[in-house]
Amino acid sequence: MSNLDTLKEMGQSIAGALENEVNGYEVAFGELTLTARADKIVTILTHLRDESSCKFVQLVDVCGVDYPERPKRFDVVYHLLSLKHNIRLRIKVEADDETPVPSVVEVFPSASWYEREVWDMYGVMFDNHPDLRRILTDYGFQGHPQRKDFPLTGYVELRYSEEEKRVVYEPVSLPQEFRDFDFMSPWEGAKYILPGDEKADDQGQEG
């Protein structure tokens, strides 16, 4: 049996055993991916960890993806590894920034920091997480920087104030406009005169 057949069989078996929790599965690029209900993620991961035909005993990562055009704009993605069967599994659940996703820390304690990172970067909340606070950004940071609508400059900036003898936060102020970059190849030649290069054309004609 090929690896592809093994993954398809595994996906079919899991989807059959968790028909009320798993919406579907697919095998693409040599990897098995499940789509599932967010409110059932604890049941799903518990089954995948304990079932002898699965034994996905390692939670490798939990991450987020932002799709701003969708009503539930976030995917929370769980990556599992079964050492017994040498198979990796990806599980995707949809979420928004108002409805918490159940925390899986009780199933996989390693999920604690991963869920904190998803909260920090995307603003997805996890219900029953023991310590859901920022992990990568600074105290007082506003917003969630991995969202696609987050401004590249951020909302606030900090500096050390000699007057107050401490670090102060201030709204971002840009001292100059964003530069207008020219990505034209230098070998093609500009169709216009570059600023400061007005005499170059005259010198070329004289020579």
Side-chain angles (χ1 to χ4, degrees):
M1 180 180 294
S2 69
N3 186 49
L4 193 62
D5 293 333
T6 302
L7 294 177
K8 289 181 178 177
E9 184 177 307
M10 176 71 78
Q12 190 172 13
S13 173
I14 295 172
L18 298 170
E19 58 181 356
N20 295 324
E21 291 82 9
V22 174
N23 298 326
Y25 74 93
E26 68 170 350
V27 177
F29 305 106
E31 296 183 354
L32 174 60
T33 301
L34 302 178
T35 54
R37 291 174 50 182
D39 60 331
K40 298 295 184 182
I41 190 61
V42 174
T43 303
I44 295 168
L45 293 194
T46 302
H47 173 87
L48 293 174
R49 183 195 62 184
D50 298 339
E51 173 62 33
S52 61
S53 62
C54 300
K55 286 297 180 183
F56 289 94
V57 296
Q58 284 193 0
L59 177 68
V60 179
D61 191 17
V62 181
C63 58
V65 186
D66 186 14
Y67 299 96
E69 69 279 3
R70 294 191 333 203
K72 289 187 174 182
R73 61 182 288 183
F74 304 109
D75 271 356
V76 180
V77 186
Y78 302 81
H79 295 92
L80 300 176
L81 171 64
S82 171
L83 294 173
K84 178 180 179 181
H85 301 289
N86 192 24
I87 292 177
R88 294 179 182 272
L89 172 64
R90 179 187 301 115
I91 306 169
K92 295 181 179 179
V93 302
E94 293 187 357
D96 56 35
D97 53 359
E98 296 181 353
T99 309
V101 176
S103 172
V104 298
V105 170
E106 291 191 0
V107 185
F108 291 105
S110 62
S112 179
W113 283 19
Y114 298 146
E115 291 179 347
R116 285 179 60 187
E117 183 176 350
V118 174
W119 154 248
D120 194 4
M121 295 291 106
Y122 295 92
V124 177
M125 294 180 289
F126 291 90
D127 197 21
N128 291 326
H129 189 284
D131 185 22
L132 190 62
R133 57 189 167 92
R134 293 186 184 274
I135 189 171
L136 295 177
T137 56
D138 195 8
Y139 297 106
F141 190 89
Q142 296 180 15
H144 305 282
Q146 286 295 320
R147 289 188 178 188
K148 290 182 178 176
D149 53 3
F150 187 84
L152 293 178
T153 58
Y155 295 110
V156 296
E157 58 187 357
L158 59 87
R159 65 177 178 83
Y160 181 77
S161 171
E162 283 291 344
E163 297 76 19
E164 301 181 42
K165 301 297 181 188
R166 66 179 181 88
V167 174
V168 296
Y169 290 86
E170 298 173 338
V172 171
S173 62
L174 298 175
Q176 65 181 37
E177 296 294 331
F178 284 112
R179 293 177 58 189
D180 184 15
F181 291 98
D182 183 356
F183 296 102
M184 183 182 61
S185 168
W187 290 277
E188 294 175 353
K191 301 288 190 298
Y192 54 88
I193 299 175
L194 297 173
D197 202 27
E198 292 84 0
K199 295 181 179 178
D201 190 48
D202 297 337
Q203 291 174 352
Q205 291 178 357
E206 292 174 359

